[in-house]
Amino acid sequence: PPPTKEETKEATAEAADPVIDPDVEGLPWWWDMVWKLDMMKLGTDGEKVEFGDSANVLRTNIEQIYGGFPSLDGAPLAEGDITDIADG
């Protein structure tokens, strides 16, 4: 089963010290401040999905790609060629 919101919060907090990866670009200085905003907070388990829930999915993906954070569910990042869907 997917992790609960509480497990996600805990895993995100534990990932705050990313593994040093020479390919990691790093996150901007304001990154942590954004996720403290009320609109970015996770909702309650069993309740309607809120904006913060969706935003945090993107957050964890960005943290994996640019921050070197581990995957919360152990799945690798998707890779592919987007030339079919993008110009240039």
Side-chain angles (χ1 to χ4, degrees):
T4 65
K5 289 180 183 174
E6 189 58 38
E7 291 170 334
T8 300
K9 288 178 190 176
E10 290 172 7
T12 301
E14 290 172 5
D17 294 321
V19 175
I20 303 300
D21 180 343
D23 295 327
V24 171
E25 294 180 28
L27 298 169
W29 61 268
W30 46 262
W31 186 256
D32 288 330
M33 290 186 285
V34 168
W35 301 104
K36 292 178 183 174
L37 296 172
D38 285 338
M39 67 183 288
M40 297 299 198
K41 292 185 179 172
L42 293 170
T44 306
D45 282 338
E47 298 291 324
K48 179 182 165 194
V49 174
E50 299 177 6
F51 175 79
D53 299 316
S54 299
N56 274 275
V57 170
L58 294 174
R59 172 190 183 179
T60 57
N61 290 341
I62 292 167
E63 288 174 342
Q64 281 182 262
I65 296 168
Y66 298 105
F69 286 48
S71 170
L72 296 178
D73 60 5
L77 287 172
E79 294 183 36
D81 187 2
I82 61 166
T83 56
D84 291 347
I85 61 171
D87 291 336

Coordinates of all heavy atoms in Angstrom, one line a residue:
P1 N 0.8 -1.2 0.0 CA 0.0 0.0 0.0 C 0.9 1.3 0.0 O 2.0 1.2 0.5 CB -0.8 -0.1 1.3 CG 0.0 -1.0 2.2 CD 0.8 -1.9 1.3
P2 N 0.3 2.4 -0.5 CA 1.1 3.6 -0.5 C 1.3 4.1 0.9 O 0.5 3.7 1.8 CB 0.2 4.6 -1.3 CG -1.1 4.0 -1.2 CD -1.0 2.5 -1.1
P3 N 2.4 4.9 1.2 CA 2.6 5.4 2.5 C 1.5 6.3 3.0 O 0.9 7.0 2.1 CB 3.9 6.1 2.4 CG 4.1 6.4 1.0 CD 3.3 5.4 0.2
T4 N 1.2 6.3 4.3 CA 0.2 7.3 4.8 C 0.8 8.7 4.8 O 2.0 8.9 4.6 CB -0.2 6.9 6.3 OG1 1.0 7.1 7.1 CG2 -0.7 5.5 6.4
K5 N 0.0 9.7 5.0 CA 0.5 11.1 5.0 C 1.5 11.2 6.1 O 2.5 12.0 6.0 CB -0.7 12.0 5.1 CG -1.5 12.1 3.9 CD -2.7 13.0 4.0 CE -3.5 13.0 2.7 NZ -4.7 13.8 2.8
E6 N 1.2 10.6 7.3 CA 2.2 10.7 8.4 C 3.5 10.1 8.0 O 4.6 10.6 8.3 CB 1.6 10.1 9.7 CG 2.4 10.3 10.9 CD 2.6 11.8 11.2 OE1 1.7 12.6 11.0 OE2 3.7 12.2 11.6
E7 N 3.5 8.9 7.4 CA 4.7 8.3 6.9 C 5.5 9.1 5.9 O 6.7 9.2 5.9 CB 4.4 6.9 6.3 CG 4.0 5.9 7.4 CD 3.5 4.6 6.7 OE1 3.0 4.6 5.6 OE2 3.6 3.6 7.4
T8 N 4.7 9.8 5.0 CA 5.3 10.7 4.1 C 6.0 11.9 4.7 O 7.1 12.2 4.4 CB 4.2 11.2 3.1 OG1 3.6 10.1 2.4 CG2 4.8 12.2 2.0
K9 N 5.3 12.5 5.8 CA 5.9 13.6 6.5 C 7.2 13.1 7.2 O 8.2 13.8 7.1 CB 4.9 14.1 7.6 CG 3.7 14.8 7.0 CD 2.8 15.2 8.2 CE 1.5 15.8 7.7 NZ 0.6 16.1 8.8
E10 N 7.2 12.0 7.8 CA 8.4 11.5 8.5 C 9.5 11.2 7.5 O 10.7 11.5 7.7 CB 8.0 10.2 9.3 CG 7.1 10.4 10.5 CD 6.7 9.1 11.1 OE1 7.1 8.0 10.7 OE2 5.8 9.2 12.0
A11 N 9.2 10.5 6.4 CA 10.2 10.2 5.4 C 10.8 11.5 4.8 O 12.0 11.6 4.5 CB 9.6 9.3 4.3
T12 N 10.0 12.5 4.6 CA 10.4 13.7 4.0 C 11.4 14.4 5.0 O 12.4 15.0 4.6 CB 9.3 14.7 3.6 OG1 8.4 14.0 2.7 CG2 9.7 16.0 3.1
A13 N 11.0 14.4 6.3 CA 11.9 15.0 7.3 C 13.2 14.3 7.4 O 14.3 14.9 7.5 CB 11.2 15.0 8.6
E14 N 13.2 12.9 7.3 CA 14.4 12.2 7.3 C 15.3 12.4 6.1 O 16.5 12.4 6.2 CB 14.1 10.7 7.4 CG 13.5 10.3 8.8 CD 13.0 8.8 8.7 OE1 13.3 8.1 7.7 OE2 12.4 8.4 9.7
A15 N 14.7 12.7 5.0 CA 15.4 13.0 3.7 C 16.0 14.4 3.7 O 16.6 14.7 2.7 CB 14.5 12.7 2.5
A16 N 15.8 15.2 4.7 CA 16.3 16.5 4.7 C 17.8 16.6 4.6 O 18.3 17.7 4.2 CB 15.8 17.3 5.9
D17 N 18.5 15.5 4.8 CA 20.0 15.5 4.7 C 20.2 14.5 3.5 O 20.5 13.4 3.7 CB 20.6 15.0 5.9 CG 20.5 15.9 7.1 OD1 20.6 17.1 6.8 OD2 20.3 15.5 8.2
P18 N 20.1 15.1 2.3 CA 20.3 14.2 1.1 C 21.7 13.6 1.0 O 22.6 14.2 1.4 CB 20.0 15.1 -0.1 CG 20.2 16.5 0.4 CD 19.9 16.4 1.9
V19 N 21.7 12.5 0.3 CA 23.0 11.8 0.0 C 23.8 12.7 -1.0 O 23.2 13.2 -1.9 CB 22.7 10.4 -0.6 CG1 24.0 9.8 -1.0 CG2 22.0 9.6 0.4
I20 N 25.0 12.8 -0.7 CA 25.8 13.6 -1.7 C 25.9 12.9 -3.0 O 26.4 11.8 -3.1 CB 27.2 13.9 -1.1 CG1 27.2 14.6 0.3 CG2 28.1 14.7 -2.1 CD1 26.5 15.9 0.2
D21 N 25.5 13.6 -4.0 CA 25.5 13.0 -5.4 C 26.1 14.1 -6.3 O 25.6 15.2 -6.4 CB 24.0 12.7 -5.8 CG 23.9 12.1 -7.2 OD1 24.9 12.2 -8.0 OD2 22.8 11.5 -7.5
P22 N 27.1 13.7 -7.0 CA 27.8 14.7 -7.9 C 26.9 15.3 -9.0 O 27.1 16.3 -9.5 CB 29.0 14.0 -8.4 CG 28.7 12.5 -8.3 CD 27.8 12.4 -7.1
D23 N 25.8 14.5 -9.3 CA 24.9 15.0 -10.4 C 23.8 15.9 -9.9 O 23.0 16.4 -10.7 CB 24.3 13.8 -11.1 CG 25.4 13.0 -11.9 OD1 26.3 13.6 -12.3 OD2 25.2 11.7 -11.9
V24 N 23.6 16.0 -8.6 CA 22.6 16.8 -8.0 C 22.8 18.3 -8.2 O 23.9 18.8 -7.9 CB 22.4 16.4 -6.5 CG1 21.4 17.4 -5.8 CG2 21.9 15.0 -6.4
E25 N 21.8 19.0 -8.6 CA 22.0 20.4 -8.9 C 21.7 21.2 -7.6 O 22.3 22.3 -7.4 CB 21.0 20.9 -9.9 CG 21.3 20.4 -11.3 CD 20.3 20.8 -12.3 OE1 19.8 21.9 -12.2 OE2 20.1 20.1 -13.3
G26 N 20.9 20.7 -6.7 CA 20.6 21.4 -5.4 C 19.3 22.1 -5.6 O 18.8 22.4 -6.6
L27 N 18.7 22.4 -4.4 CA 17.4 23.1 -4.3 C 17.7 24.6 -4.0 O 18.7 24.9 -3.3 CB 16.6 22.5 -3.3 CG 16.2 21.0 -3.6 CD1 15.6 20.4 -2.3 CD2 15.3 20.9 -4.7
P28 N 16.8 25.5 -4.4 CA 16.9 26.9 -4.1 C 16.9 27.2 -2.6 O 16.2 26.5 -1.8 CB 15.8 27.6 -4.9 CG 14.8 26.5 -5.1 CD 15.5 25.2 -5.2
W29 N 17.4 28.3 -2.2 CA 17.5 28.7 -0.8 C 16.1 28.9 -0.2 O 15.9 28.7 1.0 CB 18.2 30.0 -0.6 CG 17.6 31.2 -1.3 CD1 17.9 31.6 -2.6 CD2 16.6 32.1 -0.8 NE1 17.1 32.7 -2.9 CE2 16.3 33.0 -1.9 CE3 15.9 32.2 0.4 CZ2 15.4 34.0 -1.7 CZ3 15.0 33.2 0.5 CH2 14.7 34.1 -0.5
W30 N 15.1 29.2 -0.9 CA 13.7 29.4 -0.4 C 12.9 28.1 -0.4 O 11.7 28.2 0.1 CB 13.0 30.4 -1.3 CG 13.2 30.2 -2.7 CD1 14.1 30.8 -3.6 CD2 12.4 29.3 -3.6 NE1 13.9 30.3 -4.9 CE2 12.9 29.4 -4.9 CE3 11.4 28.4 -3.3 CZ2 12.4 28.7 -6.0 CZ3 10.9 27.6 -4.4 CH2 11.4 27.8 -5.7
W31 N 13.4 27.0 -0.8 CA 12.6 25.8 -0.9 C 11.9 25.4 0.4 O 10.7 25.1 0.3 CB 13.6 24.6 -1.4 CG 12.9 23.4 -1.7 CD1 12.8 22.2 -0.9 CD2 12.1 23.1 -2.8 NE1 12.1 21.3 -1.5 CE2 11.6 21.7 -2.7 CE3 11.7 23.8 -4.0 CZ2 10.8 21.1 -3.6 CZ3 11.0 23.2 -4.9 CH2 10.5 21.9 -4.7
D32 N 12.6 25.3 1.5 CA 11.9 24.9 2.7 C 10.8 25.9 3.2 O 9.8 25.5 3.8 CB 13.0 24.7 3.9 CG 13.8 23.5 3.6 OD1 13.3 22.5 3.0 OD2 15.0 23.5 4.1
M33 N 11.0 27.2 2.9 CA 10.0 28.2 3.3 C 8.7 28.0 2.6 O 7.6 28.1 3.2 CB 10.6 29.6 3.1 CG 11.7 29.9 4.0 SD 12.2 31.7 3.9 CE 13.1 31.6 2.3
V34 N 8.8 27.6 1.3 CA 7.5 27.4 0.5 C 6.7 26.3 1.2 O 5.5 26.4 1.3 CB 7.9 27.0 -0.9 CG1 6.7 26.5 -1.7 CG2 8.5 28.2 -1.6
W35 N 7.3 25.2 1.6 CA 6.5 24.1 2.2 C 6.0 24.3 3.6 O 5.3 23.5 4.1 CB 7.4 22.8 2.0 CG 7.7 22.6 0.6 CD1 8.9 22.9 0.0 CD2 6.8 22.3 -0.4 NE1 8.8 22.7 -1.4 CE2 7.5 22.3 -1.7 CE3 5.5 21.9 -0.5 CZ2 7.0 22.0 -2.9 CZ3 4.9 21.6 -1.7 CH2 5.6 21.6 -2.9
K36 N 6.4 25.4 4.2 CA 5.8 25.8 5.5 C 4.5 26.6 5.3 O 3.8 26.9 6.3 CB 6.8 26.5 6.3 CG 8.0 25.6 6.7 CD 9.0 26.3 7.5 CE 10.2 25.4 7.8 NZ 11.3 26.1 8.4
L37 N 4.2 27.1 4.1 CA 3.0 27.9 3.9 C 1.8 27.0 4.1 O 1.8 25.8 3.8 CB 3.0 28.4 2.4 CG 4.1 29.4 2.0 CD1 4.1 29.6 0.5 CD2 3.9 30.6 2.8
D38 N 0.7 27.6 4.6 CA -0.5 26.9 4.9 C -1.1 26.1 3.7 O -1.5 25.0 3.8 CB -1.6 27.8 5.5 CG -1.3 28.2 6.9 OD1 -0.6 27.5 7.6 OD2 -1.9 29.3 7.3
M39 N -1.0 26.8 2.5 CA -1.6 26.2 1.3 C -0.8 24.9 0.9 O -1.3 24.1 0.1 CB -1.6 27.2 0.2 CG -0.3 27.6 -0.3 SD -0.3 28.8 -1.6 CE -0.9 27.9 -3.0
M40 N 0.4 24.7 1.4 CA 1.2 23.6 1.0 C 1.2 22.4 2.0 O 1.8 21.4 1.7 CB 2.7 24.0 0.8 CG 2.9 25.0 -0.2 SD 2.4 24.4 -1.9 CE 3.2 25.5 -2.9
K41 N 0.4 22.5 3.0 CA 0.4 21.5 4.1 C -0.5 20.3 3.6 O -1.4 20.4 2.8 CB -0.2 22.0 5.4 CG 0.7 23.0 6.0 CD 0.3 23.5 7.3 CE 1.3 24.5 7.8 NZ 0.9 25.2 9.0
L42 N -0.1 19.1 4.0 CA -0.8 17.9 3.7 C -2.1 17.9 4.4 O -2.3 18.4 5.5 CB 0.0 16.7 4.1 CG 1.3 16.4 3.4 CD1 2.1 15.3 4.0 CD2 1.0 16.0 1.9
G43 N -3.2 17.3 3.8 CA -4.5 17.2 4.4 C -4.5 16.0 5.3 O -3.5 15.4 5.7
T44 N -5.7 15.7 5.8 CA -5.9 14.6 6.8 C -6.2 13.3 6.1 O -7.0 13.3 5.1 CB -7.1 15.0 7.7 OG1 -6.8 16.3 8.3 CG2 -7.2 14.0 8.8
D45 N -5.7 12.2 6.5 CA -6.0 10.9 6.0 C -7.5 10.7 6.0 O -8.2 11.0 6.9 CB -5.3 9.8 6.7 CG -3.8 9.7 6.4 OD1 -3.4 10.1 5.3 OD2 -3.1 9.1 7.2
G46 N -8.0 10.1 4.9 CA -9.4 9.8 4.8 C -10.3 11.0 4.3 O -11.5 10.8 4.1
E47 N -9.7 12.2 4.2 CA -10.5 13.4 3.8 C -10.2 13.7 2.4 O -9.3 13.0 1.7 CB -10.0 14.6 4.7 CG -10.3 14.4 6.2 CD -11.8 14.4 6.5 OE1 -12.6 15.2 5.8 OE2 -12.2 13.7 7.4
K48 N -10.9 14.6 1.8 CA -10.8 15.1 0.4 C -9.3 15.5 0.2 O -8.7 16.1 1.0 CB -11.7 16.2 0.2 CG -11.7 16.8 -1.2 CD -12.6 18.0 -1.3 CE -12.3 18.7 -2.6 NZ -12.9 20.1 -2.6
V49 N -8.8 15.1 -1.0 CA -7.5 15.5 -1.4 C -7.4 17.0 -1.6 O -8.3 17.6 -2.3 CB -7.0 14.8 -2.7 CG1 -5.7 15.3 -3.2 CG2 -7.0 13.3 -2.5
E50 N -6.5 17.7 -1.0 CA -6.4 19.1 -1.1 C -5.2 19.5 -2.0 O -4.4 18.7 -2.4 CB -6.2 19.7 0.3 CG -7.3 19.4 1.2 CD -7.1 19.9 2.7 OE1 -6.1 20.6 2.9 OE2 -7.9 19.6 3.5
F51 N -5.1 20.8 -2.3 CA -4.0 21.3 -3.1 C -2.6 20.9 -2.5 O -1.7 20.5 -3.3 CB -4.0 22.8 -3.2 CG -2.9 23.4 -4.0 CD1 -2.8 23.3 -5.4 CD2 -1.8 24.0 -3.3 CE1 -1.7 23.8 -6.0 CE2 -0.7 24.5 -4.0 CZ -0.7 24.4 -5.4
G52 N -2.4 21.0 -1.2 CA -1.2 20.7 -0.6 C -0.8 19.2 -0.8 O 0.4 18.9 -0.9
D53 N -1.8 18.3 -0.9 CA -1.5 16.9 -1.1 C -0.9 16.7 -2.5 O 0.1 16.0 -2.7 CB -2.8 16.1 -1.0 CG -3.4 16.1 0.4 OD1 -2.7 16.0 1.4 OD2 -4.6 16.2 0.4
S54 N -1.5 17.3 -3.5 CA -1.0 17.3 -4.9 C 0.4 17.9 -5.0 O 1.3 17.4 -5.7 CB -2.0 17.9 -5.8 OG -3.2 17.2 -5.8
A55 N 0.5 19.1 -4.4 CA 1.8 19.8 -4.4 C 2.9 19.0 -3.8 O 4.0 19.1 -4.3 CB 1.6 21.2 -3.7
N56 N 2.6 18.3 -2.8 CA 3.7 17.5 -2.1 C 4.1 16.3 -3.0 O 5.2 15.8 -2.8 CB 3.2 17.1 -0.7 CG 3.6 18.2 0.3 OD1 4.7 18.2 0.8 ND2 2.6 19.0 0.6
V57 N 3.3 15.8 -3.9 CA 3.7 14.8 -4.8 C 4.8 15.4 -5.7 O 5.8 14.8 -5.9 CB 2.5 14.2 -5.6 CG1 3.0 13.3 -6.7 CG2 1.5 13.5 -4.7
L58 N 4.5 16.5 -6.2 CA 5.5 17.2 -7.1 C 6.8 17.6 -6.3 O 7.9 17.4 -6.8 CB 4.9 18.5 -7.7 CG 3.8 18.3 -8.7 CD1 3.2 19.6 -9.1 CD2 4.2 17.5 -9.9
R59 N 6.6 17.9 -5.0 CA 7.7 18.3 -4.2 C 8.7 17.1 -4.1 O 9.9 17.3 -4.2 CB 7.2 18.6 -2.8 CG 8.3 18.8 -1.8 CD 7.8 18.9 -0.3 NE 8.8 19.1 0.6 CZ 8.7 19.3 1.9 NH1 7.5 19.2 2.4 NH2 9.7 19.5 2.7
T60 N 8.1 15.9 -3.8 CA 9.0 14.8 -3.6 C 9.7 14.4 -4.9 O 10.9 14.0 -4.9 CB 8.3 13.6 -3.0 OG1 7.2 13.2 -3.8 CG2 7.8 13.8 -1.6
N61 N 9.1 14.6 -6.0 CA 9.7 14.3 -7.3 C 10.8 15.3 -7.6 O 11.9 14.9 -8.0 CB 8.7 14.4 -8.5 CG 7.7 13.2 -8.4 OD1 8.0 12.2 -7.8 ND2 6.6 13.4 -9.1
I62 N 10.6 16.6 -7.3 CA 11.6 17.6 -7.5 C 12.8 17.4 -6.5 O 14.0 17.5 -6.9 CB 11.0 19.0 -7.3 CG1 10.0 19.3 -8.5 CG2 12.1 20.1 -7.2 CD1 9.2 20.5 -8.2
E63 N 12.5 17.0 -5.3 CA 13.5 16.7 -4.3 C 14.4 15.5 -4.7 O 15.6 15.5 -4.5 CB 13.0 16.5 -2.9 CG 12.4 17.8 -2.3 CD 11.7 17.6 -1.0 OE1 11.3 16.5 -0.7 OE2 11.6 18.6 -0.3
Q64 N 13.8 14.5 -5.4 CA 14.6 13.4 -5.9 C 15.5 13.8 -7.0 O 16.7 13.5 -7.0 CB 13.7 12.3 -6.4 CG 13.1 11.4 -5.3 CD 12.2 10.3 -5.9 OE1 11.0 10.5 -5.9 NE2 12.8 9.3 -6.3
I65 N 14.9 14.6 -7.9 CA 15.7 15.0 -9.1 C 16.8 16.0 -8.8 O 17.9 15.8 -9.2 CB 14.7 15.5 -10.2 CG1 13.8 14.5 -10.7 CG2 15.5 16.1 -11.4 CD1 12.6 15.0 -11.5
Y66 N 16.4 17.1 -8.1 CA 17.4 18.2 -7.9 C 18.0 18.2 -6.6 O 19.1 18.8 -6.4 CB 16.7 19.5 -8.2 CG 16.2 19.6 -9.6 CD1 14.8 19.5 -9.8 CD2 17.0 19.8 -10.6 CE1 14.3 19.6 -11.1 CE2 16.6 19.9 -11.9 CZ 15.2 19.8 -12.2 OH 14.8 19.9 -13.5
G67 N 17.5 17.5 -5.6 CA 18.0 17.5 -4.2 C 18.7 16.2 -3.8 O 19.3 16.2 -2.7
G68 N 18.7 15.2 -4.6 CA 19.3 13.9 -4.3 C 18.6 13.2 -3.2 O 19.2 12.3 -2.5
F69 N 17.3 13.5 -2.9 CA 16.6 12.8 -1.8 C 16.2 11.4 -2.3 O 16.0 11.1 -3.5 CB 15.3 13.6 -1.5 CG 15.5 14.9 -0.8 CD1 16.5 15.8 -1.1 CD2 14.8 15.2 0.3 CE1 16.7 17.0 -0.4 CE2 15.0 16.3 1.1 CZ 15.9 17.2 0.7
P70 N 16.1 10.5 -1.3 CA 15.7 9.1 -1.7 C 14.2 9.1 -2.0 O 13.4 9.9 -1.6 CB 15.9 8.3 -0.4 CG 15.8 9.4 0.7 CD 16.3 10.6 0.1
S71 N 13.8 8.1 -2.7 CA 12.4 7.8 -3.1 C 11.6 7.4 -1.8 O 12.1 6.6 -1.1 CB 12.3 6.7 -4.1 OG 11.0 6.3 -4.3
L72 N 10.4 8.0 -1.6 CA 9.7 7.6 -0.4 C 9.1 6.2 -0.5 O 8.9 5.5 0.5 CB 8.5 8.6 -0.2 CG 8.9 10.1 0.1 CD1 7.7 10.9 0.2 CD2 9.7 10.1 1.3
D73 N 8.8 5.8 -1.7 CA 8.2 4.4 -1.9 C 9.2 3.4 -2.5 O 8.9 2.3 -2.7 CB 7.0 4.5 -2.8 CG 7.3 5.0 -4.2 OD1 8.4 5.3 -4.5 OD2 6.3 5.1 -4.9
G74 N 10.5 3.9 -2.7 CA 11.5 3.0 -3.2 C 11.5 2.8 -4.7 O 12.4 2.2 -5.2
A75 N 10.6 3.4 -5.4 CA 10.5 3.3 -6.8 C 11.5 4.3 -7.5 O 11.7 5.4 -7.0 CB 9.1 3.7 -7.3
P76 N 12.2 3.8 -8.5 CA 13.1 4.7 -9.2 C 12.4 5.8 -10.0 O 11.2 5.7 -10.3 CB 13.9 3.8 -10.2 CG 12.9 2.7 -10.4 CD 12.1 2.5 -9.2
L77 N 13.1 6.9 -10.3 CA 12.6 8.0 -11.1 C 12.3 7.4 -12.5 O 13.1 6.6 -13.0 CB 13.5 9.1 -11.1 CG 13.7 10.0 -9.9 CD1 14.8 11.0 -10.0 CD2 12.4 10.7 -9.6
A78 N 11.3 7.9 -13.1 CA 11.0 7.5 -14.5 C 12.0 8.3 -15.4 O 12.4 9.4 -15.1 CB 9.6 7.9 -14.8
E79 N 12.3 7.6 -16.4 CA 13.2 8.2 -17.4 C 12.6 8.0 -18.8 O 11.9 7.0 -19.0 CB 14.6 7.5 -17.4 CG 15.4 7.8 -16.1 CD 16.8 7.2 -16.2 OE1 17.4 7.2 -17.2 OE2 17.2 6.7 -15.1
G80 N 12.9 8.8 -19.7 CA 12.4 8.7 -21.1 C 12.8 9.8 -22.0 O 13.3 10.8 -21.6
D81 N 12.4 9.6 -23.2 CA 12.7 10.6 -24.3 C 11.4 11.4 -24.5 O 10.4 10.7 -24.9 CB 13.2 10.0 -25.5 CG 13.7 10.9 -26.6 OD1 13.6 12.2 -26.3 OD2 14.1 10.5 -27.6
I82 N 11.4 12.7 -24.4 CA 10.1 13.4 -24.6 C 10.0 14.1 -25.9 O 9.2 15.0 -26.1 CB 9.9 14.5 -23.5 CG1 11.0 15.5 -23.4 CG2 9.8 13.8 -22.1 CD1 10.7 16.7 -22.6
T83 N 10.8 13.7 -26.9 CA 10.8 14.3 -28.2 C 9.5 14.2 -28.9 O 9.1 15.0 -29.7 CB 11.9 13.7 -29.1 OG1 11.8 12.3 -29.2 CG2 13.3 14.1 -28.5
D84 N 8.7 13.2 -28.5 CA 7.4 13.0 -29.2 C 6.3 14.0 -28.7 O 5.4 14.2 -29.4 CB 6.8 11.6 -28.9 CG 7.6 10.5 -29.6 OD1 8.4 10.8 -30.5 OD2 7.5 9.3 -29.2
I85 N 6.6 14.6 -27.5 CA 5.5 15.5 -26.9 C 6.0 16.9 -26.8 O 5.2 17.8 -26.4 CB 5.1 15.0 -25.5 CG1 6.2 14.9 -24.5 CG2 4.4 13.6 -25.7 CD1 5.8 14.6 -23.1
A86 N 7.2 17.2 -27.2 CA 7.7 18.5 -27.1 C 8.4 19.0 -28.4 O 9.1 18.2 -29.0 CB 8.7 18.6 -25.9
D87 N 8.2 20.2 -28.7 CA 9.0 20.8 -29.8 C 10.4 21.0 -29.5 O 10.8 21.3 -28.4 CB 8.4 22.1 -30.2 CG 7.0 22.0 -30.8 OD1 6.6 20.9 -31.3 OD2 6.2 23.0 -30.7
G88 N 11.3 20.8 -30.5 CA 12.7 21.1 -30.3 C 13.4 19.9 -29.9 O 14.5 19.7 -29.6

